[in-house]
């Protein structure tokens, strides 16, 4: 069974540009999460989808970040316009629902560098 | 919100030594996971352990939910165990968003 995949693995952009990150969860996982780790800080929650609906977006830093999960399969996270402080590693995770199915499985991350 | 503290922040071992990593959390949880971040930055699942004890090879973990802590034991450490170990929890009232500790950085020398 394939794990969580993310694309691209690395992205280098200039301040003010737009970047779109993609996450493909494990097949059959209704829950999809985005997290990020910016330089020197802890891994922080961004938002949580259940199927195509946003369940919790309390961690989204500002309106320059837009996440979508059309059709309840893969998800995209767009940063527009990117700022220097957005540099870091963006992780995606997925899980099933309920009980032991709460375990989250993480993708390899996308390393974003904003110059 | 729930607070997660990991100790020690850094740990240096000789190959073959045993170690214990600790995770304290400030409220009741319905999810607790241990991860190993390898040198390539990937988060590898070690244990899903909101309560009880589990073992997987040289690694084992115990969570005492009533006392709000979890321990990760590494026995007979190997150089490949090096990296950062994260504890992450989700509180009982939320939607399972994980709150991460700052991690324990482990270096195992031959």
């Amino acid at each position: 069974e394939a794990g969580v995949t993310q694309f691209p693995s690395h992205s280098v952009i200039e301040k003010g540009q737009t970047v779109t990150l993609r996450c493909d969860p494990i097949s059959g996982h209704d829950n999809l999460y985005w997290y990020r780790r910016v330089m020197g800080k802890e891994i922080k929650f961004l938002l949580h989808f259940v199927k195509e609906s946003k369940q919790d977006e309390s961690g989204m830093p500002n309106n320059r970040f837009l996440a979508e999960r059309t059709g309840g399969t893969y998800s995209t996270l767009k940063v527009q316009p990117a700022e220097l402080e957005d540099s870091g590693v963006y992780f995606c995770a997925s899980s099933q629902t309920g009980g032991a199915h709460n375990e989250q499985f993480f993708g390899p991350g996308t390393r974003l560098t904003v110059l | 919100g729930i607070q997660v503290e990991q100790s020690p922040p850094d740990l240096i071992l000789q190959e073959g030594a045993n170690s214990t990593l600790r995770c304290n959390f400030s409220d009741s949880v319905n999810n607790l996971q241990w991860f190993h971040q390898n040198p390539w930055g990937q988060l590898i699942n070690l244990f899903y352990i909101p309560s009880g004890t589990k073992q997987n090879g040289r690694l084992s973990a115990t969570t005492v939910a009533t006392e709000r802590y979890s321990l990760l034991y590494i026995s007979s450490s190997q150089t490949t165990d090096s990296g950062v170990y994260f504890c992450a929890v989700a509180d009982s009232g939320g939607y399972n968003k994980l709150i991460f500790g700052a991690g324990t950085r482990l270096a195992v020398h031959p």
Side-chain angles (χ1 to χ4, degrees):
Chain A
E1 178 182 302
V4 177
T5 58
Q6 293 186 244
F7 182 83
S9 57
H10 293 84
S11 180
V12 181
I13 61 173
E14 293 190 350
K15 176 182 173 180
Q17 290 185 323
T18 297
V19 64
T20 300
L21 313 180
R22 173 172 170 143
C23 168
D24 286 78
I26 293 172
S27 177
H29 282 195
D30 288 339
N31 296 284
L32 187 150
Y33 309 82
W34 285 98
Y35 296 83
R36 74 172 181 176
R37 187 179 193 188
V38 295
M39 185 64 68
K41 301 284 184 64
E42 294 162 17
I43 300 172
K44 296 283 193 184
F45 166 83
L46 295 178
L47 89 159
H48 169 202
F49 284 99
V50 178
K51 297 184 180 179
E52 67 275 9
S53 300
K54 291 177 185 175
Q55 182 71 64
D56 180 358
E57 51 185 328
S58 61
M60 294 288 264
N62 52 60
N63 60 10
R64 295 185 294 103
F65 289 75
L66 175 64
E68 295 181 324
R69 191 183 183 195
T70 305
T73 55
Y74 70 90
S75 175
T76 58
L77 180 64
K78 180 189 290 188
V79 185
Q80 179 181 30
E83 298 289 344
L84 299 179
E85 64 265 25
D86 300 332
S87 295
V89 181
Y90 289 75
F91 292 101
C92 175
S94 72
S95 72
Q96 293 179 291
T97 299
H101 298 305
N102 281 337
E103 183 176 7
Q104 295 183 30
F105 296 88
F106 280 70
T110 293
R111 183 172 296 277
L112 175 64
T113 301
V114 182
L115 303 175
Chain B
I2 195 166
Q3 305 294 314
V4 182
E5 293 185 357
Q6 291 187 242
S7 60
D10 296 280
L11 187 58
I12 300 174
L13 299 175
Q14 288 296 125
E15 202 167 25
N18 302 328
S19 61
T20 301
L21 283 58
R22 187 176 180 103
C23 172
N24 292 334
F25 44 95
S26 60
D27 207 341
S28 58
V29 300
N30 66 2
N31 182 354
L32 188 147
Q33 294 185 235
W34 283 98
F35 299 91
H36 175 214
Q37 187 169 40
N38 64 22
W40 297 270
Q42 295 178 315
L43 288 170
I44 307 300
N45 286 42
L46 296 178
F47 294 102
Y48 169 80
I49 188 166
S51 64
T53 297
K54 291 185 178 179
Q55 179 156 8
N56 184 3
R58 296 181 297 103
L59 273 60
S60 64
T62 295
T63 298
V64 183
T66 53
E67 298 187 20
R68 298 180 183 167
Y69 72 88
S70 182
L71 302 174
L72 177 68
Y73 305 96
I74 305 174
S75 64
S76 304
S77 57
Q78 301 176 357
T79 56
T80 51
D81 295 332
S82 297
V84 183
Y85 289 79
F86 290 104
C87 168
V89 305
D91 65 44
S92 299
Y95 294 111
N96 202 35
K97 70 179 181 186
L98 289 176
I99 309 300
F100 279 78
T104 291
R105 184 174 300 276
L106 173 65
V108 181
H109 297 304

